Amino acid sequence: MRFLCRVAARSVLMLHLMFSLAAMFGGLAMLILFSAFWIHIPLLLWAAAVNLFGWTCPLTPLEKRLWRCGGRDAYEGGFLVHYFGPLLNLERADRRVEIRTGGVILAWNAMVYSGVLLYVRMP
């Protein structure tokens, strides 16, 4: 049972990572298939809202529960700080970090969408 819990925890971790990457870079998929917009916009809005409003993504407590079920200690804090904190030199998350993250998600995607729309409109 512990093995299955660890496999499930890793699967949730990968799903969370893929979701985060899709929210940040999914707008680029419109260069290949413009209707990807309809999939990306909800991902983008959810990722920005979770950070801007200080919500907890449901995948985080699920992953922590699965790690505990698998006999491992669950990490403290959120997904972003635990997995990306060392890369971004974050020791802990406070509201300012979350708000900046939400702002970066929105600003980056505004630039991506602007660039894609300009590229699509060019002759």
Side-chain angles (χ1 to χ4, degrees):
M1 183 65 168
R2 285 183 176 215
F3 173 75
L4 291 177
C5 287
R6 284 190 213 134
V7 169
R10 287 185 183 101
S11 298
V12 171
L13 164 62
M14 294 309 298
L15 177 66
H16 208 168
L17 180 61
M18 289 186 309
F19 177 89
S20 299
L21 291 173
M24 279 301 288
F25 302 108
L28 296 172
M30 290 188 326
L31 291 169
I32 299 167
L33 180 65
F34 194 76
S35 62
F37 166 88
W38 296 108
I39 295 169
H40 183 249
I41 286 295
L43 296 176
L44 162 66
L45 294 176
W46 173 257
V50 164
N51 285 283
L52 290 172
F53 299 122
W55 300 342
T56 299
C57 178
L59 294 174
T60 302
L62 175 61
E63 180 191 349
K64 289 178 179 183
R65 255 192 318 271
L66 290 167
W67 282 125
R68 280 190 219 94
C69 170
R72 302 251 174 105
D73 291 334
Y75 55 88
E76 293 295 319
F79 173 82
L80 174 74
V81 172
H82 180 70
Y83 291 108
F84 295 102
L87 296 173
L88 302 173
N89 202 20
L90 298 175
E91 304 222 352
R92 62 181 176 78
D94 58 14
R95 280 298 296 139
R96 291 176 302 190
V97 171
E98 292 173 340
I99 291 169
R100 284 186 198 128
T101 302
V104 165
I105 291 168
L106 290 174
W108 165 257
N109 278 287
M111 289 188 309
V112 167
Y113 274 71
S114 298
V116 167
L117 291 174
L118 283 173
Y119 176 78
V120 168
R121 293 185 74 194
M122 290 179 146

